[in-house]
């Protein structure tokens, strides 16, 4: 599917071509409905918000992504204006014509659905609202079922259009018509069960659905929901299909936490050193010589490259295609399910416990005063490590940074956070805590207590203008304008830093400077000293306030400035052009406490 098609995390069955085609086909249809409606935003009149797709789904629905192409207020107009800010996108979509826009979006959304879906198949009967959802299997036996719900404006045209769609999808999609809605599912029988269940109990009337979606603020274009039962359903799916463990075992969500990045780097360094040492120890002198030549492969002439690849093949006669491409006859037969099973990983006990105790998620994406905003209320598992940050130190930490930060992050630590961070980091993969702690100390020279001392009470991380120029395929330039400002016990911070320096080695490793009662640490001494002596102004700017709501109460704050150089273009490896990025101004990600849950707001603004 393209990025224009909505998606929802779905606990799938074991990999099979038919199952994948079914999911793609269902998503393609609902995405096409969204595309058709999206083209009409700028031309349709303002109408009151009507019935939502949640009214057509049963009350025990596990997950839901609802699309409303006639949202309340002036959001249709704001969405059209947002599209017009991107000349290349407007040209690509054909904004000069309503029908051209709809057809263009439809072509992109359905290109990979595996179905022969035409514009007229949907435009004649589909309304402004649709949804993707995951519902329990009929009778509670078997895997949960992914379904789509589409608003129907003309029943007879819908039946004719859906018959054509089903015929073009090679029996991968079935449907049933309800009261003003069409349900698409794996089979006609599954769709009919969903319609029947939706008449007995409605998701829109469910207390958890109402509480969580209301907690996410005003209505918008997209509504997200995960039921409290979704956590256990995901665990059950992993137990049945272990390859799904990667969805659960590694931290995920909206976190932009630099601590996770640090732990990933140290884990990779540890794994790389260990794996490299083992590999080198097992190599023969001839293998070492050939692999040494492989390191400078690009410097060889074509004839030398061919000769080297031939030698690699001769070195491993029992491994066909070692230096080239194996023929179809040489390729071993692969058991897809067995292969996927090899990618499973243990689920950490605390992650399993959090999913078992999951209390649900509600979210809304909306257009608000010229900005695009996503607001999510959920258990802390969604926004990152739930025991790492506490209090309201984020604003004070990030406000101390210079106002020209390209990227910045701020947060205040909870007591005892470090050991949890190391043993349940992004690359821990359920390994034994003792081994993870030992690996971390070997890679950094720090114990968990040392890491907690190094982090202080709060930290703020800054990437200055031009930081993107310091990264290349050879590693990281020592002059990179990256720095961390740490507040707390400066003596403990510097003592822990000294241990890291001993481990890292080199000339002037990790220079630091005092900034009042804070310590600034970075890669480049000049940038470190600049951050230390500059009076903080980032948090006082109007642009900052526009993308960081409720800053005073924030647990963590992330700041992104698209106007500070061409870092976004470079870091996306040219996938985004200057004209694509030019309309973007700034973005913020704010995490605040919401009772036992957390509220995460992602807000993006555009240049005038």
């Amino acid at each position: 599917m393209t990025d224009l098609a909505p998606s929802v995390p779905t606990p799938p069955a074991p990999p099979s071509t038919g199952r994948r085609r079914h999911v793609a086909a269902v998503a393609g249809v609902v995405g096409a409905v969204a595309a058709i409606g999206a083209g009409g935003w700028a031309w349709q009149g303002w109408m009151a918000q009507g019935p939502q797709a949640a009214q057509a789904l049963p009350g025990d629905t596990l997950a839901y992504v609802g699309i409303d192409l006639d949202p309340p207020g002036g959001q249709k107009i704001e969405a059209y204006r947002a599209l017009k800010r991107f000349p290349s996108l407007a040209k690509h979509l054909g904004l000069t014509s309503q029908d051209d826009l709809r057809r263009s979006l439809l072509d992109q959304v359905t290109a990979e659905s595996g179905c022969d879906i035409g514009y007229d198949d949907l435009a004649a009967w589909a309304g402004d609202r649709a949804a993707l959802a995951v519902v329990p299997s009929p009778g509670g036996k078997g895997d949960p079922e992914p379904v789509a719900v589409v608003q129907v404006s003309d029943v007879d045209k819908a039946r004719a259009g859906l018959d054509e769609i089903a015929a073009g999808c090679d029996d991968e999609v079935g449907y049933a018509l309800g009261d003003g809605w069409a349900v698409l599912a794996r089979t006609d029988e599954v769709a009919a069960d969903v319609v029947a269940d939706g008449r007995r109990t409605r998701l829109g009337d469910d207390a958890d659905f109402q509480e969580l979606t209301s907690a996410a603020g005003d209505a918008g274009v997209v509504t997200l929901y995960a039921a409290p039962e979704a956590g256990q359903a995901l665990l059950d799916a992993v137990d049945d299909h272990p390859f799904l463990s990667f969805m659960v075992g590694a931290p995920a969500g909206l976190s932009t936490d630099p601590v996770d990045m640090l732990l990933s780097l140290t884990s990779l360094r540890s794994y790389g050193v260990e794996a490299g040492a083992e590999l080198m120890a097992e190599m023969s002198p001839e293998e070492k010589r050939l692999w040494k030549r492989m390191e400078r492969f690009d410097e060889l002439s074509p004839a030398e490259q061919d000769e080297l690849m031939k030698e690699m093949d001769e070195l491993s006669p029992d491994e066909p295609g070692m230096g080239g491409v194996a023929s179809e006859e040489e390729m071993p037969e692969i058991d897809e399910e067995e292969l996927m099973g090899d990618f499973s990983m243990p689920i950490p006990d605390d992650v399993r416990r959090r999913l078992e105790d999951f209390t649900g998620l509600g979210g809304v994406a909306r257009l608000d005063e010229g900005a695009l905003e996503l607001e999510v209320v959920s258990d802390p598992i969604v926004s990152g490590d739930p025991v790492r940050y506490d209090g309201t130190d984020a604003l004070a930490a990030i406000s101390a940074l210079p106002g020209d930060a390209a990227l910045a992050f701020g947060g205040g630590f909870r007591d005892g956070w470090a050991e949890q961070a190391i043993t349940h980091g992004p690359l821990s993969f359920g390994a034994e805590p003792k081994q993870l702690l030992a690996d971390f100390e070997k890679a950094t020279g720090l114990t968990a207590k040392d890491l907690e001392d190094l982090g202080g009470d709060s930290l703020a991380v800054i990437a200055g203008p031009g930081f993107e120029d310091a990264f290349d395929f050879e590693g990281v330039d020592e002059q990179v304008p990256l720095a961390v400002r740490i507040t707390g016990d400066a003596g403990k911070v510097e003592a822990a830093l000294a241990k890291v320096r001993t481990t890292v080695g080199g000339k002037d490793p990790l220079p630091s400077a005092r900034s009042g009662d804070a310590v600034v640490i970075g890669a480049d001494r000049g940038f470190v000293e600049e951050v230390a002596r500059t009076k903080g102004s980032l948090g006082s700017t109007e642009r900052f306030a526009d993308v960081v709501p409720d800053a005073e109460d924030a647990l963590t704050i992330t700041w992104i400035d698209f106007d500070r150089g061409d870092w976004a273009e470079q870091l996306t490896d040219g996938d985004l052009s200057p004209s694509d990025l030019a309309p973007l101004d700034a973005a913020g990600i704010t995490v605040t406490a919401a009772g036992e849950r957390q509220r995460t707001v992602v807000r993006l603004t555009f240049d005038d």
Side-chain angles (χ1 to χ4, degrees):
M1 296 299 298
T2 68
D3 290 340
L4 295 169
S7 61
V8 61
T10 305
S16 69
T17 303
R19 183 75 168 183
R20 286 196 297 268
R21 285 203 307 268
H22 156 60
V23 175
V26 171
V29 172
V30 74
V33 173
I36 288 174
W41 271 350
W43 295 272
Q44 295 171 2
W46 199 100
M47 296 173 60
Q49 190 177 29
Q52 300 298 303
Q55 296 301 112
L57 287 162
D60 61 354
T61 295
L62 295 171
Y64 168 88
V65 179
I67 306 161
D68 185 351
L69 297 170
D70 188 23
Q75 292 190 64
K76 293 187 296 292
I77 302 300
E78 289 197 40
Y80 177 66
R81 288 173 178 169
L83 285 174
K84 291 288 286 183
R85 294 176 186 271
F86 300 88
S88 60
L89 180 61
K91 181 179 179 180
H92 179 64
L93 295 177
L95 282 179
T96 58
S97 164
Q98 175 179 349
D99 287 340
D100 285 347
L101 172 60
R102 291 177 175 182
R103 291 182 187 277
S104 174
L105 289 173
L106 177 61
D107 288 344
Q108 294 179 64
V109 170
T110 61
E112 300 176 21
S113 68
C115 296
D116 182 16
I117 303 173
Y119 172 81
D120 294 328
D121 295 328
L122 296 171
W125 60 268
D128 292 325
R129 298 179 177 94
L132 284 173
V134 179
V135 299
S137 61
K141 299 179 180 179
D143 292 322
E145 296 280 355
V147 301
V149 178
V150 180
Q151 192 176 37
V152 171
S153 60
D154 187 306
V155 175
D156 292 335
K157 291 181 179 179
R159 184 175 289 107
L162 287 168
D163 283 340
E164 290 185 22
I165 289 172
C169 289
D170 297 328
D171 297 324
E172 297 293 340
V173 172
Y175 78 90
L177 292 169
D179 303 325
W181 301 91
V183 175
L184 292 90
R186 178 169 52 85
T187 64
D188 291 341
E189 292 74 18
V190 172
D193 285 337
V194 172
V195 170
D197 290 345
R199 286 172 174 158
R200 286 190 287 269
T201 62
R202 294 180 175 179
L203 176 61
D205 299 332
D206 180 78
D208 289 323
F209 178 85
Q210 291 181 346
E211 176 197 355
L212 285 160
T213 55
S214 297
D218 296 334
V221 179
V222 177
T223 299
L224 308 174
Y225 171 70
E229 294 79 11
Q232 185 61 54
L234 183 56
L235 285 174
D236 292 342
V238 172
D239 290 340
D240 292 338
H241 314 299
F243 66 89
L244 292 175
S245 59
F246 274 90
M247 295 173 56
V248 178
L254 297 171
S255 174
T256 54
D257 191 342
V259 173
D260 284 337
M261 300 176 195
L262 168 66
L263 293 171
S264 296
L265 288 174
T266 55
S267 295
L268 288 172
R269 182 174 185 270
S270 175
Y271 296 155
V273 170
E274 299 269 345
E278 290 178 6
L279 181 61
M280 291 299 291
E282 295 172 359
M283 281 186 179
S284 69
E286 179 63 12
E287 287 175 322
K288 292 179 181 179
R289 182 183 65 80
L290 289 177
W291 280 107
K292 193 68 176 178
R293 289 170 60 193
M294 286 292 291
E295 292 178 3
R296 44 186 290 269
F297 186 83
D298 291 340
E299 302 173 14
L300 303 178
S301 68
E304 290 173 326
Q305 291 178 347
D306 289 342
E307 179 61 27
L308 177 57
M309 299 308 288
K310 181 180 178 181
E311 291 182 51
M312 293 289 287
D313 282 337
E314 293 173 350
L315 186 66
S316 305
D318 296 331
E319 298 180 26
M322 180 70 177
V325 179
S327 67
E328 188 172 335
E329 293 77 16
E330 293 173 324
M331 290 296 291
E333 187 174 342
I334 297 175
D335 184 312
E336 186 176 305
E337 188 154 354
E338 182 180 347
L339 176 64
M340 294 302 291
D342 290 340
F343 286 93
S344 63
M345 57 179 284
I347 300 176
D349 290 342
D350 66 319
V351 174
R352 181 176 289 275
R353 186 167 53 253
R354 278 184 255 157
L355 287 171
E356 290 172 343
D357 298 338
F358 184 62
T359 65
L361 173 151
V364 175
R366 62 178 72 88
L367 279 301
D368 178 56
E369 298 181 353
L372 177 63
E373 182 175 275
L374 170 65
E375 184 170 356
V376 175
V377 174
S378 177
D379 294 357
I381 192 172
V382 172
S383 56
D385 191 322
V387 297
R388 188 172 301 167
Y389 297 100
D390 193 13
T392 56
D393 295 331
L395 179 59
I398 203 169
S399 294
L401 298 176
D404 64 348
L407 302 174
F409 175 91
F413 288 118
R414 184 191 297 262
D415 290 340
W417 64 272
E419 182 169 340
Q420 171 78 9
I422 297 170
T423 56
H424 297 83
L427 295 181
S428 61
F429 299 130
E432 287 296 322
K434 288 184 179 180
Q435 186 61 50
L436 289 166
L437 290 167
D439 289 344
F440 182 80
E441 185 170 1
K442 182 177 180 180
T444 65
L446 300 178
T447 65
K449 178 61 168 61
D450 293 331
L451 178 60
E452 189 161 345
D453 288 344
L454 180 62
D457 297 329
S458 67
L459 89 167
V461 180
I462 179 173
F467 77 94
E468 69 280 4
D469 296 329
F471 295 86
D472 58 33
F473 291 109
E474 300 299 325
V476 180
D477 191 319
E478 292 183 356
Q479 304 303 310
V480 59
L482 288 171
V484 181
R485 187 180 188 277
I486 301 169
T487 60
D489 188 325
K492 289 184 178 180
V493 171
E494 291 178 334
L497 179 59
K499 294 184 178 182
V500 179
R501 285 174 175 149
T502 299
T503 303
V504 172
K507 182 181 179 181
D508 194 23
L510 298 175
S512 64
R514 288 290 187 97
S515 177
D517 60 350
V519 179
V520 179
I521 307 167
D524 175 57
R525 179 166 295 280
F527 185 70
V528 165
E529 292 175 351
E530 178 186 339
V531 172
R533 67 172 177 266
T534 302
K535 184 178 181 180
S537 59
L538 178 58
S540 62
T541 64
E542 184 176 340
R543 293 170 66 232
F544 180 89
D546 201 15
V547 297
V548 181
D550 302 321
E552 295 82 2
D553 299 322
L555 297 172
T556 64
I557 296 173
T558 302
W559 161 258
I560 304 168
D561 191 338
F562 293 100
D563 293 339
R564 299 291 178 183
D566 58 356
W567 62 267
E569 180 186 358
Q570 289 195 35
L571 294 186
T572 56
D573 198 25
D575 290 337
L576 297 176
S577 68
S579 62
D580 295 324
L581 295 164
L584 301 178
D585 180 28
I589 305 175
T590 311
V591 179
T592 57
E596 295 298 316
R597 299 189 177 105
Q598 288 183 353
R599 182 184 311 278
T600 301
V601 177
V602 183
R603 188 170 169 85
L604 172 67
T605 57
F606 305 96
D607 288 322
D608 295 330

